[in-house]
Amino acid sequence: MQDVSAQQTIHVGGEWRGAASGATREILDPADAKPFAVIAEGGADDADAAIAAARRAFDEGPWPTTPVAERAALLRRVAELLVRDREKIGLLESRDAGKTVEEGRVDVDCVADAFRYFADLVLGEGAGRVVDAGSAEIHSVVVHEPVGVCSMITPWNYPLLQASWKIAPALAAGNTFVIKPSEITPLTTVVLVELLIEAGLPQGVANIVTGPGATVGARLADHPDVDLISFTGGLVSGTKVAQAAAADVKKVALELGGKNPNVVFADACESDEDFDTAVDQALNAAFIHSGQVCSAGSRLIIEESVRERFVAELARRAEKIRLGRGTQDGVECGPLVSEQQRDKTESYVASALAEGAVLRCGGKRPEPSDVRPATGYFYEPTVLDQCHREMRVVREETFGPILTVETFRTEDEAVALANDTEYGLAGAVWTTDAGRARRVAGRLRHGTIWINDFHPYLPQAEWGGFGKSGVGRELGPAGLAEYRESKHIYQNLAPKPVRWFAG
């Protein structure tokens, strides 16, 4: 991996460079707010250069017509390189995003799985779908071709993982791309581009511009030479991306987060073992990576008869979560990614308490310790009881360690509460009644539904949401289809005059 302190974090047409303006940005470790890397702060000129390189590589280069077997082999080489560098990349992801090193290692494993999956997927496809035209004299087939130049904008919470969900299918389909990682957490995306180059990707196919969304991101969205834009991030920014892309009728894929319900029925708490599992999973749903997860189960919707027992135990365990620097042994949860994100979390908690929520635990910054520098962006896991739909903290995506509690009495009421959101990314139902599990899962309007589980995903299964959670899907066959155009080729094997016109 190159030395990120060299500030050469923009890659255009096969060359690492600094920003055209010479601007740089310090990257802060959220555990202590101290800079530990310096990157190039690119702008619109850098984005233009990268798009031009990607355009040339698509229109004139070999990658779009490279045989599928060769493209798949390159993706598998990238997976092998990720495995080779797992420890270094996992540590870098931890320092950059604030998560624990173990979470960083798991992210690297998942990224390698994604590259392997899309390699296998394209290898297993046929040459096209033959369409029966009803005549032996007609040969009709539907084939798939790459979209072209793809712009990719990724978020700060899972920088490496989200980059891979876009890059792997884009390359498998034969596209070229320009990626802009979050300016807060760009480092592992830079490393991933390095690995693509090491694996043998032709010049100009992979381009990266580090810089802010207002300049680089905006240009990637509105540039006329871009054929597709894939964006993962907040609803407000995603709406702007879609509006910018509309002028050229670009293909658009948007993953815009969620406000995800975790529905727990009383029968899931009857035995001590089931109760322990449901509470444990509710903690995982809400507080993994300090709640900075688009699919976080931040809304606990629990049957009223077991609410007090469940919430009391949940709060007791949440208070014991070991907060600290993600690189330290024994730490279970790291800091928030930035001062801005911590301030936002504090604002949500304050508004909830003002609107009548009851604080069961957390709600403040923790005391500094040997693993929690006073300058770090730490915030205690927070459980807010007696919440309702009118509260801002229940309606909006908080992206922090906040769990709200709502109650229900009937199955219909549980479903209504779970669906009462403008988002629709993910949700879960906990019950020992198999019939109820299937009924509720079928009625929930969310893109992923877990039954008696929370958070796992499979690269083979599509990921995306209903409503304002976005447009399109990542992963699975549909994730590959996002980066393709379908073409119908109709061949008349015995052409003859039609005689439509008398002539």
Side-chain angles (χ1 to χ4, degrees), residues 443-465:
R443 295 173 67 190
L444 292 180
R445 298 281 295 170
H446 302 270
T448 293
I449 302 297
W450 295 289
I451 297 175
N452 298 335
D453 212 329
F454 211 103
H455 277 318
Y457 76 93
L458 302 172
Q460 306 96 310
E462 281 76 1
W463 180 266

PDB file of all heavy atoms in Angstrom, residues 443-465:
ATOM      1  N   ARG A 443     -45.884  -8.854   5.260  1.00  0.00           N
ATOM      2  CA  ARG A 443     -46.587  -7.564   5.306  1.00  0.00           C
ATOM      3  C   ARG A 443     -45.654  -6.373   5.506  1.00  0.00           C
ATOM      4  O   ARG A 443     -46.055  -5.234   5.260  1.00  0.00           O
ATOM      5  CB  ARG A 443     -47.625  -7.592   6.434  1.00  0.00           C
ATOM      6  CG  ARG A 443     -48.745  -8.600   6.224  1.00  0.00           C
ATOM      7  CD  ARG A 443     -49.644  -8.696   7.447  1.00  0.00           C
ATOM      8  NE  ARG A 443     -50.393  -7.452   7.667  1.00  0.00           N
ATOM      9  CZ  ARG A 443     -51.100  -7.196   8.773  1.00  0.00           C
ATOM     10  NH1 ARG A 443     -51.142  -8.111   9.753  1.00  0.00           N
ATOM     11  NH2 ARG A 443     -51.756  -6.060   8.895  1.00  0.00           N
ATOM     12  N   LEU A 444     -44.427  -6.613   5.940  1.00  0.00           N
ATOM     13  CA  LEU A 444     -43.512  -5.503   6.177  1.00  0.00           C
ATOM     14  C   LEU A 444     -42.984  -4.955   4.858  1.00  0.00           C
ATOM     15  O   LEU A 444     -42.534  -5.711   3.997  1.00  0.00           O
ATOM     16  CB  LEU A 444     -42.345  -5.951   7.059  1.00  0.00           C
ATOM     17  CG  LEU A 444     -42.698  -6.297   8.512  1.00  0.00           C
ATOM     18  CD1 LEU A 444     -41.463  -6.712   9.277  1.00  0.00           C
ATOM     19  CD2 LEU A 444     -43.394  -5.125   9.205  1.00  0.00           C
ATOM     20  N   ARG A 445     -43.012  -3.635   4.708  1.00  0.00           N
ATOM     21  CA  ARG A 445     -42.618  -2.966   3.469  1.00  0.00           C
ATOM     22  C   ARG A 445     -41.167  -2.490   3.579  1.00  0.00           C
ATOM     23  O   ARG A 445     -40.875  -1.291   3.647  1.00  0.00           O
ATOM     24  CB  ARG A 445     -43.561  -1.794   3.190  1.00  0.00           C
ATOM     25  CG  ARG A 445     -45.018  -2.185   2.980  1.00  0.00           C
ATOM     26  CD  ARG A 445     -45.234  -2.729   1.586  1.00  0.00           C
ATOM     27  NE  ARG A 445     -44.998  -1.682   0.582  1.00  0.00           N
ATOM     28  CZ  ARG A 445     -44.935  -1.913  -0.724  1.00  0.00           C
ATOM     29  NH1 ARG A 445     -45.038  -3.155  -1.177  1.00  0.00           N
ATOM     30  NH2 ARG A 445     -44.724  -0.918  -1.572  1.00  0.00           N
ATOM     31  N   HIS A 446     -40.285  -3.455   3.597  1.00  0.00           N
ATOM     32  CA  HIS A 446     -38.858  -3.173   3.713  1.00  0.00           C
ATOM     33  C   HIS A 446     -38.099  -4.139   2.807  1.00  0.00           C
ATOM     34  O   HIS A 446     -38.541  -5.268   2.585  1.00  0.00           O
ATOM     35  CB  HIS A 446     -38.386  -3.312   5.160  1.00  0.00           C
ATOM     36  CG  HIS A 446     -39.109  -2.418   6.123  1.00  0.00           C
ATOM     37  ND1 HIS A 446     -38.669  -1.154   6.424  1.00  0.00           N
ATOM     38  CD2 HIS A 446     -40.259  -2.603   6.819  1.00  0.00           C
ATOM     39  CE1 HIS A 446     -39.519  -0.597   7.289  1.00  0.00           C
ATOM     40  NE2 HIS A 446     -40.488  -1.453   7.534  1.00  0.00           N
ATOM     41  N   GLY A 447     -36.943  -3.706   2.315  1.00  0.00           N
ATOM     42  CA  GLY A 447     -36.227  -4.501   1.315  1.00  0.00           C
ATOM     43  C   GLY A 447     -35.593  -5.765   1.836  1.00  0.00           C
ATOM     44  O   GLY A 447     -35.394  -6.721   1.083  1.00  0.00           O
ATOM     45  N   THR A 448     -35.215  -5.787   3.101  1.00  0.00           N
ATOM     46  CA  THR A 448     -34.676  -6.995   3.737  1.00  0.00           C
ATOM     47  C   THR A 448     -35.443  -7.230   5.029  1.00  0.00           C
ATOM     48  O   THR A 448     -35.609  -6.299   5.835  1.00  0.00           O
ATOM     49  CB  THR A 448     -33.181  -6.839   4.048  1.00  0.00           C
ATOM     50  OG1 THR A 448     -32.442  -6.762   2.821  1.00  0.00           O
ATOM     51  CG2 THR A 448     -32.659  -8.031   4.856  1.00  0.00           C
ATOM     52  N   ILE A 449     -35.905  -8.456   5.228  1.00  0.00           N
ATOM     53  CA  ILE A 449     -36.599  -8.824   6.463  1.00  0.00           C
ATOM     54  C   ILE A 449     -35.860  -9.999   7.095  1.00  0.00           C
ATOM     55  O   ILE A 449     -35.656 -11.037   6.461  1.00  0.00           O
ATOM     56  CB  ILE A 449     -38.070  -9.223   6.207  1.00  0.00           C
ATOM     57  CG1 ILE A 449     -38.833  -8.076   5.529  1.00  0.00           C
ATOM     58  CG2 ILE A 449     -38.736  -9.631   7.524  1.00  0.00           C
ATOM     59  CD1 ILE A 449     -38.934  -6.820   6.340  1.00  0.00           C
ATOM     60  N   TRP A 450     -35.460  -9.816   8.345  1.00  0.00           N
ATOM     61  CA  TRP A 450     -34.860 -10.915   9.102  1.00  0.00           C
ATOM     62  C   TRP A 450     -35.911 -11.499  10.044  1.00  0.00           C
ATOM     63  O   TRP A 450     -36.690 -10.759  10.657  1.00  0.00           O
ATOM     64  CB  TRP A 450     -33.679 -10.412   9.925  1.00  0.00           C
ATOM     65  CG  TRP A 450     -32.534  -9.920   9.101  1.00  0.00           C
ATOM     66  CD1 TRP A 450     -31.680 -10.655   8.346  1.00  0.00           C
ATOM     67  CD2 TRP A 450     -32.102  -8.552   8.950  1.00  0.00           C
ATOM     68  NE1 TRP A 450     -30.743  -9.855   7.732  1.00  0.00           N
ATOM     69  CE2 TRP A 450     -30.979  -8.561   8.084  1.00  0.00           C
ATOM     70  CE3 TRP A 450     -32.545  -7.330   9.458  1.00  0.00           C
ATOM     71  CZ2 TRP A 450     -30.299  -7.395   7.719  1.00  0.00           C
ATOM     72  CZ3 TRP A 450     -31.878  -6.171   9.097  1.00  0.00           C
ATOM     73  CH2 TRP A 450     -30.770  -6.209   8.243  1.00  0.00           C
ATOM     74  N   ILE A 451     -35.931 -12.808  10.156  1.00  0.00           N
ATOM     75  CA  ILE A 451     -36.781 -13.492  11.123  1.00  0.00           C
ATOM     76  C   ILE A 451     -35.872 -14.119  12.164  1.00  0.00           C
ATOM     77  O   ILE A 451     -35.020 -14.957  11.848  1.00  0.00           O
ATOM     78  CB  ILE A 451     -37.656 -14.573  10.450  1.00  0.00           C
ATOM     79  CG1 ILE A 451     -38.614 -13.916   9.440  1.00  0.00           C
ATOM     80  CG2 ILE A 451     -38.440 -15.362  11.499  1.00  0.00           C
ATOM     81  CD1 ILE A 451     -39.434 -14.919   8.640  1.00  0.00           C
ATOM     82  N   ASN A 452     -36.025 -13.674  13.401  1.00  0.00           N
ATOM     83  CA  ASN A 452     -35.213 -14.168  14.519  1.00  0.00           C
ATOM     84  C   ASN A 452     -33.720 -13.993  14.254  1.00  0.00           C
ATOM     85  O   ASN A 452     -32.899 -14.876  14.541  1.00  0.00           O
ATOM     86  CB  ASN A 452     -35.555 -15.627  14.834  1.00  0.00           C
ATOM     87  CG  ASN A 452     -36.993 -15.792  15.266  1.00  0.00           C
ATOM     88  OD1 ASN A 452     -37.615 -14.856  15.765  1.00  0.00           O
ATOM     89  ND2 ASN A 452     -37.544 -16.971  15.035  1.00  0.00           N
ATOM     90  N   ASP A 453     -33.364 -12.849  13.718  1.00  0.00           N
ATOM     91  CA  ASP A 453     -31.971 -12.492  13.448  1.00  0.00           C
ATOM     92  C   ASP A 453     -31.945 -11.004  13.132  1.00  0.00           C
ATOM     93  O   ASP A 453     -32.990 -10.372  12.981  1.00  0.00           O
ATOM     94  CB  ASP A 453     -31.410 -13.312  12.285  1.00  0.00           C
ATOM     95  CG  ASP A 453     -29.905 -13.579  12.434  1.00  0.00           C
ATOM     96  OD1 ASP A 453     -29.218 -12.712  13.022  1.00  0.00           O
ATOM     97  OD2 ASP A 453     -29.424 -14.632  11.984  1.00  0.00           O
ATOM     98  N   PHE A 454     -30.720 -10.456  13.041  1.00  0.00           N
ATOM     99  CA  PHE A 454     -30.602  -9.070  12.603  1.00  0.00           C
ATOM    100  C   PHE A 454     -29.205  -8.850  12.034  1.00  0.00           C
ATOM    101  O   PHE A 454     -28.218  -9.325  12.573  1.00  0.00           O
ATOM    102  CB  PHE A 454     -30.840  -8.074  13.751  1.00  0.00           C
ATOM    103  CG  PHE A 454     -31.440  -6.778  13.285  1.00  0.00           C
ATOM    104  CD1 PHE A 454     -32.787  -6.516  13.467  1.00  0.00           C
ATOM    105  CD2 PHE A 454     -30.673  -5.831  12.606  1.00  0.00           C
ATOM    106  CE1 PHE A 454     -33.359  -5.329  13.003  1.00  0.00           C
ATOM    107  CE2 PHE A 454     -31.218  -4.657  12.150  1.00  0.00           C
ATOM    108  CZ  PHE A 454     -32.571  -4.393  12.339  1.00  0.00           C
ATOM    109  N   HIS A 455     -29.130  -8.153  10.923  1.00  0.00           N
ATOM    110  CA  HIS A 455     -27.931  -7.651  10.260  1.00  0.00           C
ATOM    111  C   HIS A 455     -27.267  -8.533   9.201  1.00  0.00           C
ATOM    112  O   HIS A 455     -26.585  -7.981   8.341  1.00  0.00           O
ATOM    113  CB  HIS A 455     -26.843  -7.238  11.260  1.00  0.00           C
ATOM    114  CG  HIS A 455     -27.021  -5.855  11.802  1.00  0.00           C
ATOM    115  ND1 HIS A 455     -27.389  -4.777  11.022  1.00  0.00           N
ATOM    116  CD2 HIS A 455     -26.869  -5.372  13.064  1.00  0.00           C
ATOM    117  CE1 HIS A 455     -27.458  -3.701  11.784  1.00  0.00           C
ATOM    118  NE2 HIS A 455     -27.161  -4.019  13.018  1.00  0.00           N
ATOM    119  N   PRO A 456     -27.367  -9.869   9.205  1.00  0.00           N
ATOM    120  CA  PRO A 456     -26.605 -10.586   8.178  1.00  0.00           C
ATOM    121  C   PRO A 456     -27.112 -10.293   6.778  1.00  0.00           C
ATOM    122  O   PRO A 456     -28.295 -10.013   6.569  1.00  0.00           O
ATOM    123  CB  PRO A 456     -26.831 -12.063   8.535  1.00  0.00           C
ATOM    124  CG  PRO A 456     -28.092 -12.092   9.300  1.00  0.00           C
ATOM    125  CD  PRO A 456     -28.128 -10.799  10.065  1.00  0.00           C
ATOM    126  N   TYR A 457     -26.206 -10.317   5.833  1.00  0.00           N
ATOM    127  CA  TYR A 457     -26.577 -10.180   4.428  1.00  0.00           C
ATOM    128  C   TYR A 457     -25.757 -11.186   3.642  1.00  0.00           C
ATOM    129  O   TYR A 457     -24.734 -11.709   4.115  1.00  0.00           O
ATOM    130  CB  TYR A 457     -26.320  -8.756   3.916  1.00  0.00           C
ATOM    131  CG  TYR A 457     -24.860  -8.480   3.656  1.00  0.00           C
ATOM    132  CD1 TYR A 457     -24.322  -8.684   2.388  1.00  0.00           C
ATOM    133  CD2 TYR A 457     -24.017  -8.057   4.675  1.00  0.00           C
ATOM    134  CE1 TYR A 457     -22.975  -8.471   2.147  1.00  0.00           C
ATOM    135  CE2 TYR A 457     -22.685  -7.847   4.439  1.00  0.00           C
ATOM    136  CZ  TYR A 457     -22.158  -8.056   3.179  1.00  0.00           C
ATOM    137  OH  TYR A 457     -20.827  -7.858   2.951  1.00  0.00           O
ATOM    138  N   LEU A 458     -26.194 -11.465   2.428  1.00  0.00           N
ATOM    139  CA  LEU A 458     -25.501 -12.398   1.545  1.00  0.00           C
ATOM    140  C   LEU A 458     -25.212 -11.695   0.231  1.00  0.00           C
ATOM    141  O   LEU A 458     -26.093 -11.014  -0.312  1.00  0.00           O
ATOM    142  CB  LEU A 458     -26.359 -13.637   1.280  1.00  0.00           C
ATOM    143  CG  LEU A 458     -26.790 -14.450   2.500  1.00  0.00           C
ATOM    144  CD1 LEU A 458     -27.798 -15.522   2.091  1.00  0.00           C
ATOM    145  CD2 LEU A 458     -25.582 -15.083   3.165  1.00  0.00           C
ATOM    146  N   PRO A 459     -24.012 -11.844  -0.332  1.00  0.00           N
ATOM    147  CA  PRO A 459     -23.741 -11.203  -1.625  1.00  0.00           C
ATOM    148  C   PRO A 459     -24.639 -11.723  -2.738  1.00  0.00           C
ATOM    149  O   PRO A 459     -24.855 -11.041  -3.732  1.00  0.00           O
ATOM    150  CB  PRO A 459     -22.268 -11.534  -1.888  1.00  0.00           C
ATOM    151  CG  PRO A 459     -21.952 -12.695  -1.009  1.00  0.00           C
ATOM    152  CD  PRO A 459     -22.842 -12.564   0.185  1.00  0.00           C
ATOM    153  N   GLN A 460     -25.221 -12.916  -2.536  1.00  0.00           N
ATOM    154  CA  GLN A 460     -26.112 -13.492  -3.550  1.00  0.00           C
ATOM    155  C   GLN A 460     -27.506 -12.876  -3.526  1.00  0.00           C
ATOM    156  O   GLN A 460     -28.287 -13.083  -4.456  1.00  0.00           O
ATOM    157  CB  GLN A 460     -26.255 -15.007  -3.330  1.00  0.00           C
ATOM    158  CG  GLN A 460     -24.940 -15.758  -3.261  1.00  0.00           C
ATOM    159  CD  GLN A 460     -24.485 -15.965  -1.824  1.00  0.00           C
ATOM    160  OE1 GLN A 460     -24.443 -15.032  -1.040  1.00  0.00           O
ATOM    161  NE2 GLN A 460     -24.142 -17.200  -1.480  1.00  0.00           N
ATOM    162  N   ALA A 461     -27.832 -12.157  -2.452  1.00  0.00           N
ATOM    163  CA  ALA A 461     -29.193 -11.639  -2.266  1.00  0.00           C
ATOM    164  C   ALA A 461     -29.200 -10.126  -2.422  1.00  0.00           C
ATOM    165  O   ALA A 461     -28.344  -9.422  -1.872  1.00  0.00           O
ATOM    166  CB  ALA A 461     -29.730 -12.024  -0.889  1.00  0.00           C
ATOM    167  N   GLU A 462     -30.188  -9.609  -3.136  1.00  0.00           N
ATOM    168  CA  GLU A 462     -30.261  -8.178  -3.392  1.00  0.00           C
ATOM    169  C   GLU A 462     -30.401  -7.367  -2.109  1.00  0.00           C
ATOM    170  O   GLU A 462     -31.024  -7.806  -1.147  1.00  0.00           O
ATOM    171  CB  GLU A 462     -31.446  -7.873  -4.326  1.00  0.00           C
ATOM    172  CG  GLU A 462     -31.191  -8.152  -5.785  1.00  0.00           C
ATOM    173  CD  GLU A 462     -31.215  -9.625  -6.161  1.00  0.00           C
ATOM    174  OE1 GLU A 462     -31.453 -10.469  -5.270  1.00  0.00           O
ATOM    175  OE2 GLU A 462     -30.986  -9.931  -7.341  1.00  0.00           O
ATOM    176  N   TRP A 463     -29.805  -6.175  -2.132  1.00  0.00           N
ATOM    177  CA  TRP A 463     -29.862  -5.251  -1.000  1.00  0.00           C
ATOM    178  C   TRP A 463     -30.367  -3.899  -1.500  1.00  0.00           C
ATOM    179  O   TRP A 463     -29.844  -3.344  -2.461  1.00  0.00           O
ATOM    180  CB  TRP A 463     -28.481  -5.084  -0.377  1.00  0.00           C
ATOM    181  CG  TRP A 463     -28.470  -4.145   0.784  1.00  0.00           C
ATOM    182  CD1 TRP A 463     -28.185  -2.807   0.776  1.00  0.00           C
ATOM    183  CD2 TRP A 463     -28.773  -4.471   2.139  1.00  0.00           C
ATOM    184  NE1 TRP A 463     -28.296  -2.273   2.031  1.00  0.00           N
ATOM    185  CE2 TRP A 463     -28.650  -3.276   2.894  1.00  0.00           C
ATOM    186  CE3 TRP A 463     -29.139  -5.648   2.793  1.00  0.00           C
ATOM    187  CZ2 TRP A 463     -28.888  -3.230   4.265  1.00  0.00           C
ATOM    188  CZ3 TRP A 463     -29.378  -5.601   4.161  1.00  0.00           C
ATOM    189  CH2 TRP A 463     -29.245  -4.407   4.882  1.00  0.00           C
ATOM    190  N   GLY A 464     -31.372  -3.376  -0.838  1.00  0.00           N
ATOM    191  CA  GLY A 464     -31.935  -2.079  -1.204  1.00  0.00           C
ATOM    192  C   GLY A 464     -33.280  -1.929  -0.517  1.00  0.00           C
ATOM    193  O   GLY A 464     -33.709  -2.824   0.217  1.00  0.00           O
ATOM    194  N   GLY A 465     -33.939  -0.802  -0.738  1.00  0.00           N
ATOM    195  CA  GLY A 465     -35.132  -0.568   0.047  1.00  0.00           C
ATOM    196  C   GLY A 465     -36.327  -0.049  -0.716  1.00  0.00           C
ATOM    197  O   GLY A 465     -36.254   0.267  -1.903  1.00  0.00           O
TER     198      GLY A 465
END
